[in-house]
């Protein structure tokens, strides 16, 4: 018998990659010079590695070097008859347990985001069912360009994992975000993906996104939540082996197959969906930015300007039910984790909110920093629970989701085990 806690510790070690098939997909950026080191780090922990190069990557790293360190022919041409005869690109896609795209240039990211398949690397990524990990590396201006940021969001919505980039001095002389993460960090991330069973047997419900409260047929009140953080947690919980129900507000991007999803619009609809499916839920994570109030009356026809002298309009609002506080009253009580986005006295407000709503833990986002929280690719948080607080530094929302799941399993190990003792052994 291995406890989940022990399993997770063992599985997070890079040695859990022993025997795994890692397909390293190298695109044409200066960071490609680190590809042989990635291969060596992976082989040192016992992984089997094959390399596929994008059309121009050979300008930055030679196939001969990569062949020497992998011990296998390097693949770079879809039309290479000999290579295709030995292992066709579809077989290569099936061979991989994990695909690591490192470095991922702006061009490769754009191709992945739009499902293009015009060279062996992009075709293989499209054909594989293995998890895809993307390590962006490019000039800091290219990285910060809205098109690249949109492509990053798009690949994340497809369920790809993004690692890095780091910030610092760049090969071109610029300083800023765009340096590829170091090989040992990439390998550690791949190892963390092997933590597949820490939530097996657990039923997890997650709310994500905003709610939208109609005023009349054309107007509503809402907030800036994109749903990406909630969606990322749903994907991370599923990757950790849980059965996941995602209650998604408007605008939340597509979730992967295998996640049971219920789309809702208003807070009342979200509450009904949550209550209806709560029986048998072991862990509830409320990430949604639920509107606290809704208009008391929803006009059935479009409201017209009054033309009156005051030039103002007064709407009366009523309070929406507190969905997560209701979940915390449910018996048997699931493990209940809330989120709090705060702008001032953040710790004080979040701690009080956790106690007031009777939550087991709350994840605080300091949204005074516009680069995290609402509608951004990144997040940073403080995980607050009864006996401690843990800082989760700025990272992509998917990385934060994976870290959060790991931390919750560690902190609430006995409680998670109690809800489903059978899932503790292997
Ligand atoms: O969606 P993204 O763009 O990715 O952004 C993510 C996020 C910033 C929305 C997310 O990380 C976050 O912080 N969500 C909580 C937002 C918030 O301020 O919640 P709150 O303080 O209003 O509510 C606290 C908790 O109670 C939350 O778990 C919320 O889901 C829950 N709640 C709130 C009101 C209500 N009527 N019912 C609830 O269940």
């Amino acid at each position: 018998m291995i406890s989940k806690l022990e399993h997770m510790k063992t599985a997070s070690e890079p040695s859990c990659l022993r025997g795994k098939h890692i397909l390293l997909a190298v695109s044409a950026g200066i960071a490609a010079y680190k590809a042989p080191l990635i291969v060596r780090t992976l082989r040192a922990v016992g992984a089997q590695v094959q390399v596929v190069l994008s059309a121009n990557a050979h300008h930055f790293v030679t196939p001969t070097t990569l062949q020497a360190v992998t011990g296998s022919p390097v693949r770079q041409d879809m039309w290479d008859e000999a290579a295709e005869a030995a292992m066709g690109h579809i077989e290569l896609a099936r061979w991989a347990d994990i695909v690591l795209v490192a470095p991922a240039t702006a061009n490769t990211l754009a191709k992945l985001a739009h499902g293009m398949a015009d060279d062996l690397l992009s075709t293989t990524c499209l054909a594989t069912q293995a998890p895809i990990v993307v390590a962006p590396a490019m000039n800091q201006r290219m990285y910060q360009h809205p098109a690249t940021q949109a492509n990053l969001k798009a690949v994340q919505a497809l369920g790809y994992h993004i690692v890095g980039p780091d910030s610092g001095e760049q090969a071109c002389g610029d300083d800023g975000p765009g340096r590829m993460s170091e090989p040992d960090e990439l390998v550690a991330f791949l190892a963390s993906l092997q933590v597949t069973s820490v939530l097996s047997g657990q039923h997890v419900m997650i709310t994500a996104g905003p709610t939208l409260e109609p005023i009349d047929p054309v107007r509503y009140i809402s907030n800036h939540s994109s749903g990406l953080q909630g969606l990322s947690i749903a994907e991370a919980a599923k990757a950790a082996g849980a059965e996941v129900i995602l209650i998604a507000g408007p605008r939340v991007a597509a979730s992967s197959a295998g996640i049971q999803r219920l789309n809702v619009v208003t807070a009342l609809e979200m509450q009904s969906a949550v209550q209806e499916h709560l029986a048998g839920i072991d862990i509830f994570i409320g990430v949604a930015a639920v509107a606290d109030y809704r208009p008391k009356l929803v006009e059935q026809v479009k409201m017209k300007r009054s033309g009156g002298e005051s030039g103002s309009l007064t709407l009366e609002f009523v309070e929406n039910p507190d969905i997560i506080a209701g979940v915390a009253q449910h018996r048997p009580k699931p493990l209940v984790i809330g989120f709090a986005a705060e702008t001032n006295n953040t710790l004080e407000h979040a701690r009080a909110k956790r106690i007031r709503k009777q939550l087991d833990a709350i994840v605080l986002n300091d949204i005074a920093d516009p680069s995290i929280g609402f509608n951004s690719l990144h997040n940073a948080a403080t995980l607050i629970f009864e006996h401690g607080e843990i800082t989760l530094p700025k990272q992509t929302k998917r990385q934060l989701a994976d870290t959060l799941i790991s931390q919750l399993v560690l902190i609430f190990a006995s409680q998670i085990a109690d809800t489903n003792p059978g899932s503790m052994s292997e």
Side-chain angles (χ1 to χ4, degrees):
M1 294 261 285
I2 302 176
S3 75
K4 277 190 170 187
L5 197 56
E6 285 163 357
H7 170 74
M8 205 180 76
K9 282 180 181 158
T10 342
S12 305
E13 294 296 322
S15 59
C16 71
L17 292 171
R18 178 165 296 116
K20 294 288 170 195
H21 294 174
I22 312 294
L23 182 62
L24 177 60
V26 180
S27 61
I30 184 66
Y33 83 90
K34 291 184 182 169
L37 192 52
I38 299 174
V39 173
R40 290 193 55 179
T41 313
L42 283 167
R43 292 200 68 185
V45 296
Q48 293 184 40
V49 188
Q50 295 214 49
V51 174
V52 56
L53 295 181
S54 71
N56 290 313
H58 65 275
H59 293 296
F60 294 92
V61 60
T62 74
T64 319
T65 308
L66 289 164
Q67 177 160 337
V69 288
T70 55
S72 303
V74 169
R75 303 291 304 275
Q76 49 185 332
D77 185 0
M78 286 236 294
W79 314 112
D80 179 337
E81 283 179 20
E84 281 290 304
M87 188 186 255
H89 61 277
I90 299 294
E91 275 173 86
L92 194 62
R94 286 191 187 131
W95 174 86
D97 291 318
I98 304 178
V99 177
L100 171 61
V101 188
T105 59
N107 186 48
T108 292
L109 265 177
K111 287 189 198 182
L112 297 180
H114 297 282
M116 287 177 68
D118 65 348
D119 66 359
L120 187 60
L121 188 154
S122 51
T123 306
T124 310
C125 286
L126 208 52
T128 193
Q129 287 195 327
I132 299 182
V133 178
V134 174
M138 66 199 75
N139 167 270
Q140 53 94 13
R141 283 187 190 280
M142 293 171 74
Y143 176 71
Q144 292 179 85
H145 193 286
T148 304
Q149 291 299 310
N151 289 334
L152 281 164
K153 278 191 180 169
V155 297
Q156 202 169 32
L158 290 170
Y160 297 7
H161 306 268
I162 300 169
V163 188
D166 292 344
S167 213
E169 196 182 331
Q170 302 202 297
C172 55
D174 278 10
D175 206 296
R179 287 165 58 96
M180 189 175 78
S181 296
E182 291 303 323
D184 52 353
E185 284 173 47
L186 295 176
V187 173
F189 186 82
L190 300 195
S192 76
L193 290 182
Q194 296 305 302
V195 184
T196 53
S197 58
V198 286
L199 288 183
S200 69
Q202 299 290 311
H203 294 82
V204 179
M205 182 187 280
I206 292 155
T207 63
T211 64
L212 185 155
E213 311 296 334
I215 296 170
D216 71 7
V218 294
R219 303 179 181 93
Y220 58 84
I221 60 162
S222 189
N223 58 62
H224 296 298
S225 169
S226 63
L228 181 58
Q229 185 61 83
L231 177 62
S232 303
I233 293 173
E235 298 288 351
K238 179 175 161 283
E243 295 288 327
V244 178
I245 301 184
L246 174 65
I247 315 284
R251 296 195 300 271
V252 180
S255 36
S256 47
I259 290 181
Q260 186 187 346
R261 175 174 174 140
L262 301 162
N263 291 323
V264 296
V265 177
T266 64
L268 289 177
E269 287 174 17
M270 186 172 274
Q271 184 200 32
S272 299
V274 166
Q275 288 295 333
E276 201 175 313
H277 293 84
L278 200 51
I281 292 297
D282 303 304
I283 305 175
F284 177 88
I285 309 182
V287 195
V290 184
D292 285 319
Y293 294 91
R294 65 180 186 278
K296 186 173 182 183
L297 286 176
V298 180
E299 300 292 340
Q300 296 307 305
V301 293
K302 184 181 172 187
M303 292 166 69
K304 299 291 177 205
R305 290 171 75 102
S306 68
E309 279 181 10
S310 73
S312 67
L313 169 72
T314 303
L315 290 175
E316 193 178 348
F317 288 89
V318 291
E319 213 169 15
N320 270 326
D322 191 324
I323 300 169
I324 202 166
V327 173
Q329 298 308 314
H330 189 268
R331 295 295 176 270
K333 181 177 177 275
L335 185 69
V336 187
I337 314 299
F339 267 69
E342 305 289 346
T343 51
N344 60 309
N345 298 333
T346 55
L347 277 169
E348 205 180 302
H349 286 314
R351 286 173 189 147
K353 209 173 262 186
R354 186 188 76 79
I355 291 167
R356 192 172 65 247
K357 294 183 184 235
Q358 299 190 20
L359 311 179
D360 296 288
I362 197 158
V363 182
L364 162 66
N365 300 138
D366 180 350
I367 51 162
D369 175 353
S371 73
I372 61 163
F374 283 108
N375 203 16
S376 87
L377 198 58
H378 295 92
N379 209 354
T382 308
L383 173 60
I384 302 169
F385 50 104
E386 190 182 356
H387 301 296
E389 295 183 357
I390 297 174
T391 303
L392 309 175
K394 185 172 172 181
Q395 51 200 305
T396 65
K397 285 183 173 169
R398 177 54 202 259
Q399 285 169 328
L400 191 124
D402 287 321
T403 314
L404 181 65
I405 295 289
S406 306
Q407 290 295 348
L408 292 177
V409 171
L410 288 169
I411 297 165
F412 297 105
S414 57
Q415 198 167 332
I416 289 174
D418 285 349
T419 58
N420 193 345
S423 71
M424 288 286 285
S425 54
E426 334 193 294

